[in-house]
Amino acid sequence: MPLLEIETARLRLRPLQEHDDAFILELLNEPAFIANIGDKDVHDLAGARNYIEKGPQASYRQHGHGLLLVELQEDSSPVGICGLVKRDSLPHPDIGYAFLQRHWGQGYACEAGAACLEHASARLSIDYVVGITSPHNLGSIRVLEKLGLQYDRTLELPGINGPSLYYIPAKTSAEKE
């Protein structure tokens, strides 16, 4: 199934393309991105294009989903990325997102995340999506909880320095009790 654009009241989510390199370069080098997600070693436009090709675009081909560019409906300004990430170290895809710091606090992560989860269920038949975040990333924890996920455990993931908090759909935790 080809990737589709996802639209919300304020946002458009679309597959990342090579011409999104300048935005990706900026996003991946923001101090908050590096502190909360990690240094992706992207330091020029060629590196950003390589990240797009070997990350999101490879995921689109392999899994039929991946991180999408999030842009404003009103003027197509890119504000972040959001989508499903399938990691070899996790049994289920996780919801991933990152936004330029100047766009924090406007509800974009929750709006885009909810749209991605709806798309996963309705179009991709993926009903079980987890979340991971750094223990110190309080903003991301709030987003995961607003998306209906709840803390399950702390784990170590390959390629991520330090522990990660693992979130699962809240209904699943209730069913376990």
Side-chain angles (χ1 to χ4, degrees), residues 42-119:
V42 173
H43 303 292
D44 56 29
L45 292 174
R49 288 189 295 274
N50 186 57
Y51 171 86
I52 293 167
E53 167 61 29
K54 295 207 174 2
Q57 289 182 348
S59 182
Y60 306 155
R61 291 187 297 273
Q62 185 175 1
H63 304 293
H65 58 75
L67 292 170
L68 303 169
L69 181 84
V70 180
E71 58 190 13
L72 299 177
Q73 286 268 17
E74 65 187 34
D75 62 6
S76 299
S77 297
V79 296
I81 55 177
C82 185
L84 300 183
V85 178
K86 181 60 188 99
R87 301 170 199 272
D88 293 338
S89 57
L90 293 176
H92 304 284
D94 67 90
I95 184 78
Y97 44 86
F99 289 80
L100 292 172
Q101 194 163 356
R102 66 181 174 267
H103 296 291
W104 289 7
Q106 298 178 56
Y108 295 147
C110 290
E111 186 174 332
C116 285
L117 293 176
E118 170 61 28
H119 176 79

Side-chain angles (χ1 to χ4, degrees), residues 14 17 33-34 43 45 47 53 56 58 69 101 112 157 164 168:
R14 63 166 176 78
Q17 301 295 325
F33 185 98
I34 293 169
H43 303 292
L45 292 174
E53 167 61 29
L69 181 84
Q101 194 163 356
L157 293 171
S164 294
I168 61 173

